[in-house]
Amino acid sequence: MSRSLTNFAEAYGFAFDPYQREACEYVEAGSGVLVAAPTGAGKTIVGEYAVFLALEQGRKAFYTTPIKALSNQKYADLVRRHGADKVGLLTGDSSINSEAPVVVMTTEVLRNMIYAGSSTLANLGYVVMDEVHYLADRFRGAVWEEVIIGLADSVQVVALSATVSNAEEFGDWLNEVRGEVKIVVSERRPVPLYQHVLVGKKLYDLFAGVAPTAITGDRGPSSGAGRERRPEVNPALTKVAQQESRSVRDDSRRPRGRSGKGKRSVSFGSGRYGGAAHRSNFEDRGDRRRVTTSRYDMVDALERANLLPAIVFIFSRAGCDGAVRQLLSSRLTLTNATERAELSEIAERHTAGLTSADKQALGYATFTEALVRGIAAHHAGLLPAFKECVEEAFVKGLVKIVFATETLALGINMPARSVVLEKLVKFNGETHADITPGEYTQLTGRAGRRGIDVEGHAVVLWQPGLDPRAVAGLASRRTYPLNSSFAPTYNMAVNLVGAVGRERARTLLEQSFAQYQSDRSVVGLARKVARNNSEITELFERASCDRGDFVEYAKLRDEISRVEAEAARDRKLNRQSEAIAALQQVQRGDIIRIPAGRSTGWAVVVDPGVAGHRQAPQPQVETEDGQVRRLGMVDFPTPPPVVGRIKVPKHYHPKDKQTVRNLRAALESRLRELDPDLELYRPATMDPEAARRVAELRAQLEAHPCHNCPDRETHARFAAQAIRLQRENDQADRQMARRTSTIANQFDKICQVLTSFGYLDQDRDRVTDEGRMLARIYAELDLVTAECIRAGVFDGLEVPQLAAVLSTLIYESRRSDHDRFRPQLPDRRSEDAMVVLRRVWREVSLAERDVRIERGPEPDIGFARAAFSWAAGWPLGQVLQDNDLTAGDFVRWVRQVIDFAGQIADAAGAGALRDQARRVVSSMRRGVIDFVPDEPDGAPDPYVADDR
């Protein structure tokens, strides 16, 4: 190792892994680097080395993170390592020492700096992008690509990512847009991960042998694909599943719908991971209780197996809170007296600035009762101060069990000895769906604390109907593709056009990862076209004829075949509809000709089988060989000709052999009277227009000089191959045209809308004054907001009213919000403003519809009353109670309204609106919103174990 790397490593007190040394050496050599490694593998070492080099070289380093909590955490880490004078922090809420040589910030802050051409970017040498896989995030992912594309070429980018299955593709894109970027991928987990299933109170290994995730050598789950033998499932688990399946009632395997008929689909994911309505014949005798696990039994089993501390993932906030209440009611305590005293001190320190009334409104007593007993929840609905309290206590090993939603798996550093998944199915906003292998990898990646645990453990709770083989397949695969969510926005367009001009902006957007992924799919098509072109040239040369232009002759033959095939397809479609129409007209006793299927031939209709116009007929017939069958549309590709009728006896029954024989004899007698020529009953093969076109082409073909060539068919074979390849090329060209320049085309449409509203001038190459206002607004409804400012929608509103109306432009209701209470605006003046705001939104939506781009979301009034109340000075408890909000949601949305009001103040310029927007900020930044927990002096770094 170099002297710099040696000096850097000495400060950590442990040996770096090979991938860490390799990546650090690339950074020191001047290359950008993409590091993809599992959670807890120590990727941040590489980012911190870039910070070390920046300080050593007298240059600046920016360390970016996706969320404020991570920025605060990283800021504290770097201050402890380098000192407060050398490290700054910039987030939406905080600005500390912003001109320091090392600044930690959210990615949005850096994006805004780039667009504004901030002087803070001077002498910037390194940008560390932690959790760069966030660029797949649907709402915020585009920011990462904006930064990567917009940074100066002289800046080295160090991108740190979770293990993704297309790291090479992402690295290749970085190399293309940033210059030399090296890719360092480590599949090796620092701590082996063992997989289990908890059945009742008994813990089973998932695999018969060593779990694929427990292999920490060179082999791993994604190496040697195709050569590794698939790991076998523990036979004991398979036996449990077999015993359960024998006791499941038949009506449980196929749940009944309203009609009483069995459903063929499972509404709870694929059904492979259980959890649906499985009812046992023996559940009343306790069999079901033996395989399902209560939360108390789960914690007891984990404690007996020495698997605490553990994170239990429950895909519901209410489920997390309910689990804590269940354990509280069980009187379970997981801590000793010393731990309880330390937990009480942590809780008091993190909430010292809250009033007694606020604590009561937030349920502080219940929270601390659970906390001191070693039990906690962690989800977005929790007050940030409470979450930070849980995080510190858990990392110190004081909290033993945390019930968390999946958001914990992305971001905050909270490693555990074990991770438990209650279910492998979650609601995705539309339906209950199986979790993906990538999600399973992310969730279980928290298990195993490096430097503390020698092994980690992933535990799946048994659910009725669970298939152990499906769980084994989920745990064996590491497929976590990184797909771009990038799409140009109005704000992005005016900022880029203002900075570099429209053409250069268009070129920059074509360099996005989204376009790269789209274009990459075109590469194979382009290669195919090139390969075909050379073969086409060679084939046409071999088809050359001394009597004339054989290419022309071959194209005539091909055109004849095309017209005939097209006519046949059209005729087939017409015949299907004609067949349905004909069958709806058949009557009992009609003699028909069945054109296809195993019953092909003559038959008499004994039941027309017409249920209604919405269903295809299913006639029952007796065939000429005396078979009685119910037919479907597969038997009638063409309309059946009706050639006569015979009388079917009133008491005819298909199981009455005598009546069947009698009807068969009557059919045979009637058929002897018919003309035996079947051609009379076949429909025309081609419509007249197509037939005329084919006749014209055939006449041209026969008049062509090549038609009488003795080698005509030999030439024709080569020409036919060439024409087939040409047809493939035409199809590939159409596919490539659809896939290429998709981002640039979207940008052009956005510029068209901006021009129509006056944000870009008519030649679209210059940003107007209105466009410069829009450049300061970063909300999803950015253009609607700018139009509202221009239309005076916000003018004259009082501070609480302005807060309420602004909230409608950024708030997004959760699915269950409207089930609990009906959202409404706080007063008449706010309602009047919303009438105009919605009119503006409709005007923008119509413009978007005209150019065929996705329309922005409709303004949402779900938070308006809460924003109004808080800006008006109401107490926290009353606001939460009146609006049925969780503390975490309330704090998060109020802070977003504050941030948005700040953008409005900046965009509006000097005047009454700016002053009023700033009053919104000051009125809402109070109490629990403005509260920042105190940090203990000289606190040890609780995250250092994971940083290794």
Side-chain angles (χ1 to χ4, degrees), residues 329-350:
S329 65
S330 72
R331 314 307 300 170
L332 176 71
T333 299
L334 301 171
T335 53
N336 56 38
T338 302
E339 290 172 328
R340 287 195 288 274
E342 190 172 353
L343 284 164
S344 295
E345 184 276 326
I346 291 173
E348 290 172 6
R349 171 164 41 83
H350 277 273

Side-chain angles (χ1 to χ4, degrees), residues 604-618:
V604 58
V605 177
V606 295
D607 174 17
V610 179
H613 291 292
R614 294 187 177 183
Q615 295 181 353
Q618 293 182 318

Side-chain angles (χ1 to χ4, degrees), residues 376-588:
H378 189 289
H379 54 72
L382 209 61
L383 185 76
F386 286 9
K387 283 200 293 186
E388 291 163 15
C389 177
V390 172
E391 290 157 12
E392 180 182 338
F394 189 81
V395 170
K396 288 183 175 180
L398 301 173
V399 168
K400 313 300 181 182
I401 192 89
V402 169
F403 296 96
T405 55
E406 68 268 34
T407 54
L408 185 144
L410 297 170
I412 293 299
N413 186 2
M414 277 179 61
R417 178 168 296 167
S418 305
V419 163
V420 180
L421 281 76
E422 280 204 346
K423 294 179 180 178
L424 298 177
V425 176
K426 69 174 185 177
F427 188 77
N428 62 10
E430 296 179 357
T431 184
H432 287 91
D434 297 344
I435 68 170
T436 65
E439 289 170 329
Y440 186 89
T441 299
Q442 286 291 109
L443 295 168
T444 58
R446 292 283 169 196
R449 299 164 296 176
R450 187 171 185 181
I452 301 174
D453 301 318
V454 295
E455 59 192 33
H457 299 268
V459 180
V460 173
L461 296 195
W462 182 274
Q463 298 292 334
L466 183 140
D467 180 358
R469 295 168 300 178
V471 180
L474 189 70
S476 302
R477 288 150 53 205
R478 289 248 188 105
T479 54
Y480 188 67
L482 184 63
N483 295 315
S484 173
S485 61
F486 182 85
T489 65
Y490 297 115
N491 172 278
M492 186 193 303
V494 293
N495 273 298
L496 282 174
V497 172
V500 298
R502 183 170 175 271
E503 286 306 314
R504 174 63 178 152
R506 197 177 192 275
T507 302
L508 285 174
L509 291 177
E510 287 185 317
Q511 296 176 22
S512 67
F513 187 45
Q515 188 61 60
Y516 183 82
Q517 287 190 306
S518 180
D519 289 347
R520 189 149 186 165
S521 66
V522 169
V523 170
L525 291 173
R527 288 176 179 165
K528 178 181 178 180
V529 168
R531 186 170 57 249
N532 284 356
N533 281 335
S534 61
E535 194 171 346
I536 288 168
T537 302
E538 180 182 344
L539 286 168
F540 275 142
E541 287 177 355
R542 297 177 70 180
S544 61
C545 177
D546 56 1
R547 299 197 177 193
D549 185 352
F550 203 89
V551 173
E552 181 182 67
Y553 180 80
K555 288 182 177 179
L556 282 172
R557 288 177 58 144
D558 183 69
E559 180 68 5
I560 292 171
S561 299
R562 187 193 66 78
V563 172
E564 289 177 338
E566 193 172 283
R569 282 195 300 270
D570 291 344
R571 185 63 185 142
K572 182 179 180 181
L573 291 175
N574 292 337
R575 284 174 181 170
Q576 287 176 345
S577 59
E578 290 169 3
I580 292 174
L583 288 171
Q584 287 174 337
Q585 301 299 319
V586 298
Q587 299 178 20
R588 181 179 170 97

Side-chain angles (χ1 to χ4, degrees), residues 17 33 134 140 258 425 575 715 774:
D17 288 340
V33 64
Y134 260 73
R140 300 172 56 225
R258 291 182 181 177
V425 176
R575 284 174 181 170
H715 298 326
L774 174 59

Side-chain angles (χ1 to χ4, degrees), residues 654-673:
K655 291 185 179 180
D656 184 340
K657 294 182 180 179
Q658 185 60 47
T659 58
V660 170
R661 280 197 297 269
N662 291 344
L663 188 62
R664 177 185 178 185
L667 175 62
E668 289 176 344
S669 174
R670 184 72 178 87
L671 289 175
R672 283 194 291 270
E673 300 173 7

